[in-house]
Amino acid sequence: MTTVFGTDGIRGKVGVYPLTEDMIYHIGRAAAMFAIEKNAHKRKRQRISVAKDTRASADMFETQLVKGILSCGVDVVKFGVMTTPCAAFVAKKLNHDMAVIISASHNGVEDNGIKFFSSKGYKLTLEEEARMDSLIKTLSLSKPEQDKNTLAPENTAGAADYKQGEIKEEYGAISAYADLLKGIIADNDISGYKIAVDCAFGAVSNIIPEIAQRLGLDMYCINNTPDGMNINDRSGSLHPEAVSRYVLDNGLDCGFALDGDGDRVILCDEKGQIIDGDFILAIISKYLYQKGLLNKNSIATTHMSNLGLEIAVSQWGGRVIKTEVGDKYVLDKMSKAKLNLGGEQSGHIVLLDHSTTGDGLLAGLFTLKIMAQEKKPLSQLASHMYKFPQILLNVDVAGKIPIDELSDTKKVIQKAEKKLGSKGRLYIRYSGTENKLRIMVEGQDSLEIKEVANDIAAAAKEELDAKVRR
C-alpha cells in the first residue's frame, strides 16, 4: 500500500479508501498513538483537539476520529467548526499535544480530508508523516487489544491501562485567535476601511462576526450561509470574481476571498482587480524589507509563482527561493533557511512571526495594515508587480508514470522549452491527491503559452493513456 498522505495531509473522496469510516477510525487511533509516542516524556494524559469545516461529511469524520482517539486512552477537545489556522493556533496556545482538522480546504463537498498539527502548531514534517503512515497501516490491520504492542515499552507512558479517553467541548476558543489578529493591527487605524469577505460557505463563516466585532472592523460577508453541501461552491478563493463584483457594486475598499478552511486568501482591490498570492507576497515582502523585518531579505515560494514576483522582489534587492508545490514544502524551506515570509500563488501566505501555517484572514488584515500605514489603496500597492501571462492546465490521466519515462512527451516539452527560450518557463507535475497532470506555462505571449500548454497536454494524455492500458 502506498502512503495515505498527499500534499496536505490525507485527502480524497468521501467513502473511498483511505477515507472510509473504518479507516478514519484507525486514523484516529494512529493520531492518538503518535501523540503518545511524541509526548511520552511528559508523563501525562495526552490531549488532541479536533476541529472541522462545514461540509456534510465532517460530522461522520469527527465521530470516527474521536472514537479512535478515545479508544487509545487519549482525551479529545472538540472545537466544532473552526478554521484551520485558528484551530492550529488555539491548540498550541492551550498546550494540546496535537491538533486534527477535518477539511479538504478549497475542494468541493464530495471530498474531505484530515490535517495534522504538532503541539507547536506546525504541520507534520515528512518524517512525521511517514511515522503516522506506518501507524495507520499497522493499526488498520490490528485489533484494539493489540495496540499496546505497536509502540516500544518505553514509549507507552501516558497510555496507562488504555483507559477510555474523555471528551471536552471548547467552542469558545476563538478569543485567543482574535487577540492575535488584534495585536497585528493594534497600531493602525483601519476602522474606516470597508471590507468584503467571501466566506466560501466554509468555516470562516462561523468566526467572522466575532472577529469583526472584536477588532472594530466594517466587514460585509457574502457566501456565509453554509448548509453542508455548498462549501466552496462558485465562491471563495477559487472564484474571486464573486467578491470582486460585490466590492465594485458597493464601493468598498477591498475584498478577501477565503476558502473552506480559511488557510488561503485571494484579495481584490477597490477597482475589483484580483490580487493573488504572488501580489500579496510582493506587497508584504517589500513592506517588511523597508521596515528591516524581512529575514535574510528573502521569501520562499513555489515553482508555480509568477516570474513577475521574482522581478518585483529583485528590484529592491530581495531574493525568491523556490520549493516544490505545497505549503508544507514552503514552510520546510522557511524553517531551514530561517525565513519569516513565504507562500503560494494560490493564496497560502505564511507569516512566521505571527502564525505557524497559512492564514488567509491574517494575511488579508496584514495587507490592510500596510494600506493604512502607507496611506495607499490596494491597487497602488499591487502596481509594483507586473504579472506575466500564465496558463495552468489540469489534465485528467489514467495513471501516474514518471515524466522522464514518457519519451514522446519529453520531446514535446523540449521543443516547448526551446520555443519559450529565456522569456518564459514551464513547470509540470502530477497532483498529489488526484489523477491529474498539472501543466504550467509562462511567457510574454498569451497565445503562444496556450499553444505550448495544449501541445504538452495532448502528448502527455495520449502517451499516459496508452501506457497505463498495457
Side-chain angles (χ1 to χ4, degrees):
M1 297 190 334
T2 58
T3 178
V4 297
F5 283 85
T7 54
D8 193 7
I10 303 171
R11 187 180 301 179
K13 301 296 179 188
V14 177
V16 178
Y17 179 88
L19 298 180
T20 60
E21 289 194 38
D22 284 348
M23 278 301 297
I24 295 167
Y25 167 73
H26 293 307
I27 290 170
R29 294 167 67 204
M33 299 300 280
F34 180 84
I36 292 168
E37 184 180 74
K38 289 288 286 186
N39 301 290
H41 61 284
K42 295 180 180 179
R43 300 286 167 179
K44 66 176 183 64
R45 285 179 69 93
Q46 310 301 318
R47 287 183 302 169
I48 295 178
S49 53
V50 178
K52 59 187 176 182
D53 68 21
T54 57
R55 63 193 74 222
S57 59
D59 288 346
M60 178 274 284
F61 273 64
E62 181 185 57
T63 298
Q64 293 302 110
L65 281 170
V66 169
K67 192 162 108 177
I69 294 168
L70 296 177
S71 73
C72 295
V74 173
D75 294 338
V76 170
V77 180
K78 291 170 68 174
F79 283 158
V81 175
M82 185 179 282
T83 65
T84 289
C86 181
F89 175 80
V90 174
K92 176 186 175 184
K93 190 83 173 175
L94 298 178
N95 296 313
H96 294 170
D97 299 290
M98 179 184 256
V100 179
I101 293 99
I102 301 161
S103 177
S105 197
H106 60 283
N107 287 29
V109 69
E110 67 278 1
D111 293 342
N112 211 333
I114 308 168
K115 302 181 181 185
F116 304 89
F117 289 81
S118 72
S119 58
K120 295 182 179 179
Y122 291 98
K123 288 183 179 178
L124 302 188
T125 65
L126 293 175
E127 292 77 18
E128 288 171 332
E129 282 187 350
R131 176 57 182 155
M132 269 284 291
D133 187 67
S134 174
L135 284 169
I136 290 167
K137 289 170 182 172
T138 300
L139 292 170
S140 66
L141 297 174
S142 71
K143 296 179 181 179
E145 58 268 22
Q146 296 175 316
D147 290 350
K148 287 183 182 180
N149 299 321
T150 303
L151 300 172
E154 65 269 23
N155 287 334
T156 56
D161 301 323
Y162 275 67
K163 293 179 180 178
Q164 185 82 354
E166 299 177 353
I167 296 179
K168 177 184 177 183
E169 295 183 350
E170 185 67 71
Y171 295 143
I174 187 178
S175 58
Y177 179 67
D179 289 341
L180 164 72
L181 299 178
K182 192 170 185 177
I184 290 171
I185 62 173
D187 297 330
N188 305 273
D189 182 11
I190 63 174
S191 59
Y193 288 106
K194 295 182 177 180
I195 311 142
V197 181
D198 186 340
C199 301
F201 302 111
V204 76
S205 306
N206 280 40
I207 72 169
I208 283 293
E210 185 172 344
I211 294 292
Q213 182 179 18
R214 282 175 168 269
L215 274 58
L217 295 175
D218 200 358
M219 289 182 157
Y220 299 74
C221 291
I222 63 172
N223 300 324
N224 61 332
T225 54
D227 62 11
M229 299 301 294
N230 57 2
I231 189 168
N232 298 312
D233 184 19
R234 291 169 291 180
S235 61
S237 60
L238 289 184
H239 298 276
E241 63 277 4
V243 79
S244 172
R245 283 194 303 270
Y246 191 87
V247 166
L248 286 174
D249 290 346
N250 294 277
L252 307 184
D253 296 293
C254 63
F256 301 174
L258 298 148
D259 68 340
D261 73 331
D263 68 352
R264 62 165 74 180
V265 66
I266 300 295
L267 306 179
C268 80
D269 64 23
E270 76 284 0
K271 298 177 181 179
Q273 298 175 123
I274 306 302
I275 310 295
D276 67 19
D278 286 342
F279 282 101
I280 298 170
L281 285 170
I283 292 167
I284 295 178
S285 62
K286 184 178 181 181
Y287 169 82
L288 292 177
Y289 169 76
Q290 290 173 336
K291 296 289 183 181
L293 299 173
L294 185 66
N295 290 1
K296 298 188 178 180
N297 293 336
S298 299
I299 64 173
T301 187
T302 75
H303 292 292
M304 299 298 289
S305 279
N306 196 275
L307 182 60
L309 175 61
E310 293 185 54
I311 294 173
V313 171
S314 67
Q315 286 175 345
W316 45 258
R319 184 167 65 114
V320 171
I321 300 173
K322 294 289 185 75
T323 75
E324 292 301 311
V325 175
D327 64 332
K328 69 180 178 183
Y329 298 111
V330 172
L331 193 54
D332 181 64
K333 180 62 71 175
M334 290 174 68
S335 177
K336 290 177 179 175
K338 301 189 184 309
L339 307 182
N340 60 343
L341 176 62
E344 298 184 276
Q345 185 184 75
S346 61
H348 283 119
I349 307 296
V350 184
L351 286 148
L352 265 189
D353 292 335
H354 305 286
S355 180
T356 54
T357 190
D359 188 333
L361 192 54
L362 189 154
L365 291 176
F366 200 94
T367 305
L368 203 64
K369 164 184 174 174
I370 298 171
M371 290 166 59
Q373 281 198 19
E374 300 195 6
K375 295 180 171 57
K376 294 177 182 178
L378 185 52
S379 61
Q380 190 173 344
L381 293 177
S383 67
H384 296 293
M385 180 186 132
Y386 167 76
K387 186 174 183 177
F388 280 69
Q390 188 182 80
I391 187 170
L392 175 63
L393 291 184
N394 293 310
V395 184
D396 291 318
V397 293
K400 299 176 183 180
I401 296 173
I403 295 170
D404 282 344
E405 297 178 16
L406 304 176
S407 56
D408 293 341
T409 304
K410 280 181 65 178
K411 289 176 183 177
V412 177
I413 292 172
Q414 290 166 356
K415 182 180 177 182
E417 289 173 331
K418 186 176 180 181
K419 187 174 186 178
L420 292 170
S422 60
K423 296 180 180 179
R425 66 188 184 97
L426 54 87
Y427 180 65
I428 303 169
R429 70 178 182 93
Y430 288 110
S431 164
T433 57
E434 303 172 278
N435 269 357
K436 291 182 183 292
L437 180 68
R438 306 201 191 282
I439 302 167
M440 189 278 288
V441 185
E442 195 173 77
Q444 293 181 319
D445 188 321
S446 298
L447 292 176
E448 182 178 69
I449 64 172
K450 184 176 181 180
E451 181 182 334
V452 164
N454 286 332
D455 287 347
I456 296 172
K461 184 167 181 58
E462 181 180 355
E463 189 168 10
L464 277 167
D465 288 351
K467 291 200 173 205
V468 170
R469 281 196 299 265
R470 289 174 188 169

